[in-house]
Amino acid sequence: MTRKLLPVDDAGKNALAELGNRLRTLRILRSDTMAQMAQRLQCSLSTYAALEKG
């Protein structure tokens, strides 16, 4: 079953970008790799990378 994704408005894009920035900052402060953060969040590396990109 595929899920239909709804478009994201400007406020949503800004919120996602801010989340990505916070995740990246936390990862760097912890000296973790992207793979380690993905494991902490229990998601794939590609999903984590997309989160950081916002």
Side-chain angles (χ1 to χ4, degrees):
M1 175 181 217
T2 59
R3 297 171 67 187
K4 184 176 180 180
L5 299 176
L6 299 174
V8 179
D9 63 3
D10 288 339
K13 289 178 185 177
N14 290 338
L16 290 171
E18 179 64 26
L19 173 63
N21 289 335
R22 288 180 182 196
L23 284 170
R24 184 173 189 275
T25 300
L26 176 64
R27 176 177 62 81
I28 291 168
L29 288 173
R30 295 177 66 113
S31 299
D32 282 348
T33 64
M34 290 180 80
Q36 289 169 322
M37 283 297 286
Q39 187 174 21
R40 283 184 200 281
L41 295 175
Q42 298 179 359
C43 66
S44 69
L45 178 56
S46 60
T47 297
Y48 179 77
L51 286 170
E52 267 199 20
K53 286 183 181 178

